[in-house]
Amino acid sequence: MRLLDRPVWNALTSGWAALAEGDARAWRLNRDYGVFGAAGDRSSESLAALAALVPPDGELWTVEKELWPAPPGTRVDRSAACVQMVAEAITPAPQLPFEVVPLGEDDAAEMFALAMLTEPGPYVAHTNRLGAFIGVRQEGRLVAMAGERMRMPGLAEVSGVCTHPDFRGRGYAGALMRAVAERMLARGETPFLHAYASNAGAIALYESLGFRVDGEVTASVLVRA
C-alpha cells in the first residue's frame, strides 16, 4: 500500500506515534497539535473507536484516498477533493532580496495569529511543534511562514504556508516552500503536500517549484451528530 493513500493513518503510526491518542483500532493526533484522525479499517469496531475520538465541541479531520462512511454518532460536516503533490527535486531560483529566519517557541503566538488570519489549513496551539518552521519578518513583524507537518518513512509534508494579506505577491510563499522542501531532500526525505483540487493558482505555484501531482484524496471533517 502506498503510504500517501492513507497519509493520516501512516503518520499516526510512524512519525506522529509519540503524539497519537487511541489504540490500534483508531488513532488521532493530540488535540494540542492538530485535528487529524484515522481508523485502522472499516470494521464496526474501528469506526466506533474513531467516533469516540471526535471531540464533543470540535472537529476531527480525515484524509483518505477512498470514501469512508461516517462513524456512528458522527456526520461529515464538510469535505473537499485534494491533490497530493510530491517533489523529487526542487527548481533552482535566484537569490531573493529578503531574509528567511528560523521560527521557534518564542514565535509561537505570532505564528498562531498569522495562521488564524490566513487559514492555511488546520492549525492549533502547538502545530508549530510538528516540525521546523521558517518565516519572513518585516520591521520585526512575522509576515510569512512555512513548515512541516506529517512525517512517515521517507516522506515529509510541507505545510503551514501562509502570507499576511498586506505582504502577498512578493515571492515569500514560494521561497519558504523551496527552503523547507530542500531541507527535506537533504535529509533523504521526499517532500509532499496537499492542495485543494480547486485551487489552480496554488497548484501552478507548487508545480513551478518542482512538485507534481501524484494522487488525489478527500479531506473530510467529522463532527458529533
Side-chain angles (χ1 to χ4, degrees):
M1 183 186 68
R2 285 176 12 111
L3 292 175
L4 289 180
D5 288 350
R6 301 207 64 206
V8 175
W9 176 263
N10 289 315
L12 286 166
T13 54
S14 59
W16 280 351
L19 299 172
E21 300 176 349
D23 57 38
R25 299 170 301 166
W27 297 103
R28 71 153 293 149
L29 187 60
N30 180 292
R31 289 181 66 178
D32 288 338
Y33 290 81
V35 296
F36 294 98
D41 55 43
R42 297 170 187 259
S43 69
S44 58
E45 293 81 8
S46 294
L47 291 175
L50 182 62
L53 298 175
V54 177
D57 57 346
E59 304 173 336
L60 189 73
W61 287 51
T62 65
V63 181
E64 302 285 358
K65 187 174 183 64
E66 305 294 338
L67 290 179
W68 284 52
T74 74
R75 61 179 175 84
V76 177
D77 183 63
R78 58 194 185 277
S79 64
C82 299
V83 295
Q84 292 175 319
M85 304 183 73
V86 300
E88 284 81 19
I90 295 298
T91 305
Q95 186 70 33
L96 295 172
F98 52 82
E99 181 184 7
V100 173
V101 298
L103 301 176
E105 278 302 305
D106 290 345
D107 307 295
E110 277 189 284
M111 295 167 71
F112 184 80
L114 182 61
M116 293 302 99
L117 174 67
T118 58
E119 299 183 341
Y123 194 102
V124 298
H126 296 326
T127 296
N128 64 298
R129 298 179 182 176
L130 293 176
F133 274 74
I134 55 176
V136 175
R137 289 188 173 278
Q138 292 292 354
E139 298 180 357
R141 174 187 180 189
L142 182 65
V143 298
M145 68 178 185
E148 307 175 14
R149 187 169 62 186
M150 296 183 198
R151 179 170 284 110
M152 57 197 84
L155 295 163
E157 183 189 24
V158 180
S159 188
V161 182
C162 54
T163 303
H164 191 284
D166 294 344
F167 293 86
R168 290 175 181 161
R170 305 186 187 190
Y172 295 159
L176 292 172
M177 291 182 66
R178 180 177 279 110
V180 170
E182 287 176 341
R183 182 174 58 205
M184 293 169 175
L185 288 166
R187 296 197 303 250
E189 297 171 318
T190 298
F192 73 97
L193 57 82
H194 291 95
Y196 290 117
S198 60
N199 195 342
I203 292 171
L205 168 63
Y206 306 153
E207 288 176 333
S208 74
L209 298 175
F211 286 86
R212 60 174 175 81
V213 175
D214 184 63
E216 297 182 358
V217 291
T218 298
S220 300
V221 180
L222 299 176
V223 296
R224 294 283 182 95

